[in-house]
Amino acid sequence: MTMSHTGGRRKPPTIHDVAREAGVSRGTVSRVLNGGHYVSPAAQEAVNAAIRRTGYVVNRHARSLITGRSDSVGFLLTEPQERFFEDPNFNVLLRGCTQALAAHDIPLLLMLAGTEDERRRITRYITAGHVDGVLLVSSHSGDPVAQELREAGVPLVACGKPIGLGKVSYVAADDRDGARDMVRHLLSLGRRRIGVVTGPLDTPGGVERLAGYKEVLGEAGLPVDDALIVSGDYSRASGEAGAERLLARAPDVDAVFVASDLMAQGVLTALQRAGRRVPQDVAVGGFDDSPAAVAASPELTTIRQPWDRISAEMVRVLLAQIGGEDPAAVILPTELVKREST
């Protein structure tokens, strides 16, 4: 195919060039580019082959003017920016969502909104139509961003069952069942004074993992002792501080279920500083099976969240919602992974 030149510069191929190369109309090419509706398999293959031969690249801006879509998705984290860099779960999820969207040739925009001003700006940006939908990675009870996006009709999928948001799509690991598995494991080792460092209790993971802990103690006929329950915020520092509070309140604690691996690293630091051996004196179980679990010393027994499936399902549910389907909920099973800390 002969390409025109202006001033010695090669002009990029156009939709007309693709149509000519494929031997079809411009309208057929346009229909292929916008989903392949009402196009025969033979014509679709001819157009795709012509796109490969010509090197044609879709002009997303021009297409967005026609379709009313941005052809991009937001990955929204409503946490302080330092949490994104500290917590390995966010990076694992971001990578998985990016890969899942790449299969659809859709870019992912990272949005960090940890302050009130940032949340206002991000909400304005999203509701102005700059992204087609949002993957909400951290949601606290009463989160104004999530509520405003829902009220604005923005397609939205939360990671974890959101609290107080009504009918919203979400994909979650089975937090409660995972917590039950961990506490049963600690009980099977003969531990009876089992403490817990919870996640934030305005988040679904924090609430569900604490509920699972309490349920299994009840099954075993053990009392729920408030002295054995301390809260954290999923940061390593909060795990360290939580373990110090536990040791002060209940020096006879012989196991700790920690609601995230990163917090569990902090718990290990505090226990070692206090002269407690892990697991001989105190067994420690985490949650997530994030890179923090194998970086810990000793390596953490933990609950594995299926991050690859979570990210793939979040993308699948969001794209379906963008395409007009109703909100959906997906709950995925967790798995106990035994290592050196129990």
Side-chain angles (χ1 to χ4, degrees):
M1 184 180 67
T2 302
M3 302 296 293
S4 59
H5 293 70
T6 303
R9 294 176 60 193
R10 187 180 186 186
K11 292 179 63 178
T14 68
I15 194 171
H16 299 285
D17 298 321
V18 174
R20 186 164 56 249
E21 183 75 15
V24 299
S25 70
R26 181 183 179 281
T28 297
V29 175
S30 180
R31 286 194 293 276
V32 170
L33 295 174
N34 288 289
H37 302 294
Y38 311 113
V39 179
S40 71
Q44 180 146 347
E45 175 53 36
V47 171
N48 288 333
I51 288 171
R52 291 192 294 269
R53 286 196 298 271
T54 61
Y56 174 74
V57 177
V58 175
N59 183 329
R60 291 187 179 277
H61 177 67
R63 188 164 77 175
S64 71
L65 295 176
I66 298 169
T67 64
R69 293 184 179 175
S70 69
D71 282 337
S72 62
V73 164
F75 183 96
L76 176 58
L77 178 63
T78 54
E79 297 281 357
Q81 291 190 14
E82 58 269 20
R83 289 293 309 283
F84 175 75
F85 297 101
E86 180 192 21
D87 193 327
N89 292 334
F90 296 139
N91 289 282
V92 170
L93 198 58
L94 175 64
R95 183 169 64 248
C97 291
T98 300
Q99 291 171 345
L101 284 165
H104 300 274
D105 196 27
I106 297 174
L108 185 64
L109 278 62
L110 173 61
M111 302 174 175
L112 302 177
T115 68
E116 189 174 337
D117 285 344
E118 288 170 346
R119 286 191 283 270
R120 276 199 297 267
R121 286 195 296 272
I122 290 294
T123 301
R124 283 199 304 268
Y125 181 84
I126 293 170
T127 54
H130 293 294
V131 295
D132 294 327
V134 172
L135 300 165
L136 180 63
V137 182
S138 180
S139 178
H140 295 261
S141 177
D143 183 350
V145 174
Q147 187 64 42
E148 288 175 32
L149 295 181
R150 180 177 177 272
E151 290 173 356
V154 175
L156 175 71
V157 177
C159 181
K161 184 178 181 180
I163 300 172
L165 273 183
K167 195 173 183 182
V168 172
S169 290
Y170 67 88
V171 177
D174 195 331
D175 291 299
R176 186 176 298 209
D177 197 52
R180 286 193 291 246
D181 284 346
M182 178 58 76
V183 179
R184 288 187 186 117
H185 171 62
L186 295 172
L187 287 168
S188 76
L189 301 173
R191 311 297 170 130
R192 290 297 178 268
R193 291 289 285 167
I194 302 173
V196 61
V197 181
T198 76
L201 295 179
D202 63 347
T203 64
V207 170
E208 291 293 303
R209 293 170 202 178
L210 176 59
Y213 162 86
K214 290 180 175 180
E215 285 174 8
V216 174
L217 291 184
E219 289 172 4
L222 295 174
V224 175
D225 184 346
D226 288 342
L228 290 169
I229 301 173
V230 297
S231 61
D233 62 7
Y234 291 139
S235 69
R236 178 173 179 153
S238 74
E240 188 171 345
E244 290 174 348
R245 292 200 303 277
L246 270 179
L247 289 171
R249 291 179 183 181
D252 60 340
V253 64
D254 59 10
V256 186
F257 165 45
V258 193
S260 82
D261 294 338
L262 193 62
M263 287 198 300
Q265 284 190 338
V267 169
L268 291 174
T269 297
L271 290 173
Q272 289 158 0
R273 187 167 56 238
R276 304 296 178 94
R277 297 170 301 163
V278 176
Q280 294 92 331
D281 301 327
V282 182
V284 177
F287 203 107
D288 292 330
D289 198 27
S290 69
V294 291
S297 179
E299 292 189 1
L300 281 169
T301 293
T302 189
I303 296 296
R304 175 174 293 157
Q305 295 202 63
W307 292 112
D308 289 346
R309 288 188 63 193
I310 290 171
S311 54
E313 284 295 295
M314 286 181 69
V315 167
R316 182 189 66 79
V317 171
L318 182 64
L319 294 182
Q321 197 175 337
I322 290 170
E325 294 187 17
D326 290 335
V330 178
I331 299 177
L332 299 170
T334 58
E335 178 187 355
L336 175 67
V337 180
K338 299 177 184 177
R339 294 195 180 96
E340 300 167 356
S341 66
T342 59

